[in-house]
């Protein structure tokens, strides 16, 4: 058990130690003693690639995606759950069927569409589609059907609240735990998305972190192993720190996402 | 009271607007391209089923398919084996293991890191001449010459499988533990009283009751595995070498479309991949539910 935990951690440890050592030191051997080339490595890396820019871009996109997904999925789920309109069932089932379709299927069409709309090399195709996330809608609909009693909505109507006000004041707070659960998935998914930004973004200053890391490999920095390790460490360590504080919620979310029907 | 049901349309309208434009239209457009010789510029000429006939006889695609299955298969066997052993240890009533949340966090950590960072990290750790893994192994005297991990088809595939195992076993472990916590402890207590040993408990109680969860893990892992792209792409700089052993189906699709501008053919590859995914999911589903007709969990 402990061995496995160590195995899990060793690559990170090697990364952290090597990030502080000079190129020559790494070439001659491996120790667990940190070196003293941290600053030097940082400067070498920054001369070529600013990892922080990728970090900032990724954070910007992921936060917006998470907000859009959370809000609009709640809106859609509520609409599906509490109104009986023509086509309700058909649209819902159709959405479920589309959920099974893998992301790569529309990739080429998506690229062509973005080209036609003139939104290549912008964040629009990376952010706006977050409005339509079938899986989150599905999850939230199941959740709200079991947690929000229609009489609550009736009561709000009698008090004279408008339909959208009811959604914002009554439904959203009740859905919040489920939205939070899904937001964790959405954020991780967006943060780790590689193929979409790779295909859609061309300007280096707009690269997201995953694309920038790929770029790092082909650049001059690759000559200096210490700087490479440092670049990777910068991309990884903030996540590790965030995980330290949030691990309980993240793991509970995975459990909930997997077994809730 | 006046009928408010028309509001339903307002609530779902933004979703459907975006869904139609950014999800359904691209899928349909790709379908159309798969019957054309579109190259990304100029007009698309309809060529009928030519792309699909080419797909069926394309040895590169077949190789990519086999590679993908191999890499996923090795990874899945190891990952599930590990996750199940861990789950059995942690759920054992006699052992009463402590620190579950700590271990869950450590095991899950690799899954949270961006795949590109993981690929880069292992790319230099496994590097032939300067990689720390070879240096460590040589210092320990386990090997005399550096092993060129990523330059031999067999070791390259195994390396990628192992990296995937490293990334994903924690996730499977968490999901399995969640499933086990849903099983009534009565079963385990009864087994304990009846004197069942660990193996018997695992085989006769835990596994059968976990079937829906295992099916869920298997299907989601399979779908994800068939779409394997980031790791091989980044480790091989998009080439899929050595000897095409790390060329996966999505990497092939990507290269056909965005490297060689064969948009028409790449679209057919996308649909080929989709059909393969559907068939495999159906086979897995059927084989796990052949004897009994239980309602599977849809997540």
């Amino acid at each position: 058990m402990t061995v496995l935990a160590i195995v899990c951690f060793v690559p990170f440890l090697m990364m952290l130690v090597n990030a502080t050592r000079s190129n020559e030191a790494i070439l001659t051997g491996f120790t667990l003693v940190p070196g003293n080339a941290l600053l030097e490595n940082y400067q070498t890396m920054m001369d070529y690639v600013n990892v922080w820019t990728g970090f900032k871009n990724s954070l910007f996109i992921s936060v917006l995606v998470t907000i859009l997904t959370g809000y609009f999925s709640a809106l859609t789920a509520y609409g599906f759950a509490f109104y009986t309109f023509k086509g309700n069932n058909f649209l819902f089932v159709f959405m479920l069927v589309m959920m099974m379709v893998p992301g790569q299927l529309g990739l080429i069409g998506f690229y062509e569409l973005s080209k036609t709309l003139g939104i290549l090399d912008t964040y629009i195709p990376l952010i706006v589609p977050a409005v339509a996330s079938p899986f989150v809608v599905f999850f939230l609909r199941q959740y709200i059907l079991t947690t929000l009693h229609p009489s609550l909505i009736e009561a709000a109507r009698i008090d004279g609240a408008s339909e959208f006000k009811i959604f914002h004041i009554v439904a959203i707070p009740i859905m919040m735990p489920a939205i939070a659960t899904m937001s964790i998935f959405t954020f991780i998914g967006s943060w780790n998305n590689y193929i979409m930004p790779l295909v859609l973004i061309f300007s280096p200053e707009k690269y997201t972190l995953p694309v920038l890391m790929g770029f790092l490999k082909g650049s001059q920095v690759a000559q200096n192993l210490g700087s490479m390790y440092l670049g990777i460490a910068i991309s990884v360590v903030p996540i590790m720190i965030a995980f330290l504080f949030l691990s309980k919620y993240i793991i509970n979310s995975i459990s909930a996402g997997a077994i809730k029907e | 009271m006046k009928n408010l049901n028309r509001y339903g349309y307002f609530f779902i309208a933004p979703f459907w607007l975006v869904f139609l434009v950014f999800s359904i239209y691209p899928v349909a457009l790709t379908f159309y391209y798969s019957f054309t010789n579109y190259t990304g510029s100029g007009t698309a000429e309809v060529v009928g089923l030519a792309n699909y006939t080419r797909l069926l006889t394309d040895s590169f695609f077949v190789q990519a398919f086999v590679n993908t299955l191999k890499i996923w298969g090795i990874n899945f066997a190891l990952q599930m084996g590990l996750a199940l052993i861990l789950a059995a240890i942690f759920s054992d009533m006699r052992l009463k293991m402590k620190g579950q949340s700590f271990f869950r966090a450590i095991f899950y950590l690799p899954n949270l890191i961006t795949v590109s960072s993981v690929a880069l990290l292992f790319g230099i750790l496994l590097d032939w001449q300067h990689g720390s893994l070879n240096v460590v192994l040589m210092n320990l005297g386990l090997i005399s010459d550096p092993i060129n991990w990523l330059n031999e088809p067999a070791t390259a595939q195994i390396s990628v499988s192992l990296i995937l195992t490293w990334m994903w076993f924690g996730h499977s472990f968490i999901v399995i533990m969640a499933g086990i916590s849903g099983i009534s402890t009565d079963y385990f207590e009864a087994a304990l009283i009846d004197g069942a040993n660990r193996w018997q408990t695992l085989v006769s109680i835990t596994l059968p009751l976990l079937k829906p969860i295992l099916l869920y893990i298997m299907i989601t892992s399979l779908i994800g595995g068939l779409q394997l792209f980031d790791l091989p792409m980044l480790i091989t700089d998009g080439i899929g070498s050595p000897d095409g052993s790390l060329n996966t189906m999505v990497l092939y699709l990507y290269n056909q479309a965005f490297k060689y501008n064969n948009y028409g053919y790449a679209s057919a590859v996308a649909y080929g991949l989709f059909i393969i995914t559907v068939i495999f999911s159906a086979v897995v589903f059927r084989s796990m539910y052949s004897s009994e007709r239980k309602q599977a969990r849809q997540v």
Side-chain angles (χ1 to χ4, degrees):
Chain A
M1 191 69 53
T2 318
V3 173
L4 209 59
I6 293 169
V7 168
C8 269
F9 205 71
V10 157
F12 294 128
L13 189 69
M14 284 183 157
M15 166 191 83
L16 291 173
V17 172
N18 280 344
T20 63
R21 302 168 74 215
S22 71
N23 200 29
E24 293 73 34
I26 295 170
L27 290 183
T28 47
F30 181 78
T31 62
L32 287 174
V33 188
N36 49 11
L38 182 63
L39 221 63
E40 204 180 302
N41 287 341
Y42 184 72
Q43 262 146 14
T44 315
M45 181 196 69
M46 290 300 278
D47 282 346
Y48 295 102
V49 181
N50 189 338
V51 177
W52 298 110
T53 312
F55 215 88
K56 200 186 72 203
N57 294 341
S58 275
L59 199 64
F60 174 74
I61 295 172
S62 301
V63 166
L64 272 182
V65 163
T66 307
I67 294 170
L68 283 183
T69 305
Y71 179 77
F72 283 101
S73 299
L75 194 73
T76 316
Y78 181 81
F80 271 127
F82 290 104
Y83 296 97
T84 43
F85 48 86
K86 221 175 147 199
N88 182 325
N89 273 332
F90 170 77
L91 287 176
F92 188 68
V93 171
F94 184 68
M95 185 192 84
L96 290 188
V97 172
M98 284 299 290
M99 214 165 87
M100 315 288 170
V101 171
Q104 282 81 10
L105 195 59
L107 182 65
I108 291 158
F110 192 84
Y111 176 80
E112 282 300 308
L113 173 72
S114 304
K115 198 159 87 179
T116 316
L117 294 176
I119 51 173
L120 279 180
D121 205 26
T122 71
Y123 291 154
I124 295 170
L126 293 178
I127 294 172
V128 173
V131 168
S133 314
F135 175 72
V136 184
V137 171
F138 173 71
F139 185 87
L140 292 182
R141 179 184 170 272
Q142 304 304 93
Y143 183 83
I144 199 173
L145 275 176
T146 54
T147 49
L148 176 57
H149 200 274
S151 61
L152 260 172
I153 301 172
E154 284 305 316
R157 274 179 189 152
I158 290 163
D159 288 346
S162 74
E163 294 301 301
F164 283 95
K165 199 171 178 191
I166 294 172
F167 168 72
H168 287 122
I169 293 181
V170 179
I172 289 254
I174 288 179
M175 274 197 252
M176 222 43 212
I179 294 175
T181 299
M182 283 295 116
S183 293
I184 287 173
F185 283 123
T186 312
F187 189 88
I188 296 174
S190 170
W191 182 267
N192 287 337
N193 190 359
Y194 176 66
I195 193 165
M196 280 298 176
L198 180 70
V199 168
L200 298 166
I201 304 291
F202 313 121
S203 313
E205 73 273 11
K206 290 182 191 163
Y207 280 169
T208 61
L209 190 68
V211 179
L212 196 76
M213 296 313 290
F215 179 73
L216 200 62
K217 193 182 176 198
S219 72
Q220 294 281 321
V221 189
Q223 307 288 325
N224 188 317
L225 289 170
S227 301
M228 277 291 276
Y229 278 111
L230 183 65
I232 300 166
I234 290 176
S235 78
V236 165
V237 169
I239 304 290
M240 288 167 80
I241 293 170
F243 183 63
L244 211 69
F245 293 105
L246 293 170
S247 64
K248 209 179 122 207
Y249 301 99
I250 295 174
I251 285 164
N252 287 344
S253 294
I254 299 162
S255 307
I259 54 172
K260 275 249 174 63
E261 305 228 353
Chain B
M1 188 174 264
K2 63 183 184 234
N3 190 0
L4 293 164
N5 280 332
R6 67 194 158 82
Y7 275 95
Y9 291 115
F10 299 141
F11 277 92
I12 66 166
F15 175 94
W16 281 98
L17 198 72
V18 173
F19 198 51
L20 278 173
V21 174
F22 286 105
S23 292
I24 297 175
Y25 177 72
V27 168
L29 191 64
T30 310
F31 188 63
Y32 166 70
Y33 282 145
S34 73
F35 295 101
T36 68
N37 62 2
Y38 187 53
T39 56
S41 57
T43 48
E45 211 175 293
V46 177
V47 292
L49 288 171
N51 287 327
Y52 288 95
T53 17
R54 177 177 162 193
L55 187 66
L56 288 174
T57 53
D58 186 344
S59 60
F60 289 107
F61 182 72
V62 175
Q63 190 198 13
F65 171 63
V66 175
N67 288 340
T68 313
L69 272 191
K70 257 194 216 162
I71 295 169
W72 175 76
I74 298 171
N75 146 57
F76 187 73
L78 288 173
Q79 176 196 320
M80 285 306 274
L82 259 174
L84 280 172
I85 292 170
L86 288 175
I89 294 173
F90 271 111
S91 65
D92 193 303
M93 297 181 91
R94 276 160 288 205
L95 285 176
K96 293 198 171 53
M97 284 291 294
K98 292 231 166 58
Q100 201 200 112
S101 55
F102 169 76
F103 280 110
R104 281 198 303 188
I106 290 285
F107 294 154
Y108 182 66
L109 187 61
N111 193 255
L112 204 67
I113 309 300
T114 307
V115 180
S116 51
S117 296
V118 170
L120 226 59
L121 178 59
F122 279 96
I124 51 175
L125 284 179
L126 295 178
D127 188 85
W128 176 44
Q129 285 164 308
H130 323 300
S132 290
L133 182 68
N134 273 338
V135 173
V136 169
L137 287 179
M138 276 163 68
N139 285 350
L140 290 175
L142 290 173
I143 53 171
S144 50
D145 293 312
I147 297 175
N148 203 342
W149 300 100
L150 297 173
N151 216 12
E152 291 293 329
T155 51
Q157 283 181 346
I158 290 169
S159 299
V160 171
S161 295
L162 284 174
I163 297 170
L164 286 172
T165 306
W166 178 73
M167 285 185 75
W168 283 98
F169 83 91
H171 184 269
S172 297
F173 168 62
I174 290 169
V175 174
I176 291 173
M177 281 312 287
I180 289 179
S181 68
I183 299 173
S184 165
T185 46
D186 295 353
Y187 291 111
F188 294 115
E189 275 162 16
L192 201 62
I193 291 164
D194 287 347
N197 63 30
R198 290 194 180 113
W199 178 249
Q200 286 166 328
T201 315
L202 181 71
V203 171
S204 337
I205 296 179
T206 317
L207 287 183
L209 288 170
L210 272 183
K211 216 169 171 186
I213 292 283
L214 297 180
L215 181 71
Y216 165 77
I217 298 176
M218 175 126 189
I219 297 245
T220 47
S221 168
L222 178 72
I223 292 174
L226 289 174
Q227 294 175 15
L228 184 63
F229 169 72
D230 317 30
L231 201 54
M233 162 89 188
L234 283 153
I235 277 188
T236 68
D237 292 321
I239 308 166
S241 58
D243 290 341
S245 61
L246 291 182
N247 195 18
T248 64
M249 288 186 285
V250 177
L251 183 54
Y252 189 61
L253 186 165
Y254 175 85
N255 282 335
Q256 283 297 331
F258 301 106
K259 208 164 169 184
Y260 307 119
N261 289 326
N262 291 330
Y263 286 69
Y265 183 56
S267 301
V269 173
Y271 272 86
L273 175 65
F274 175 56
I275 294 164
I276 289 172
T277 310
V278 170
I279 293 173
F280 269 77
S281 306
V283 168
V284 169
F285 206 85
R286 283 289 292 276
S287 62
M288 282 194 78
Y289 278 84
S290 51
S291 50
E292 45 196 317
R293 286 175 155 268
K294 259 195 260 166
Q295 181 62 45
R297 283 164 205 270
Q298 300 223 315
V299 186

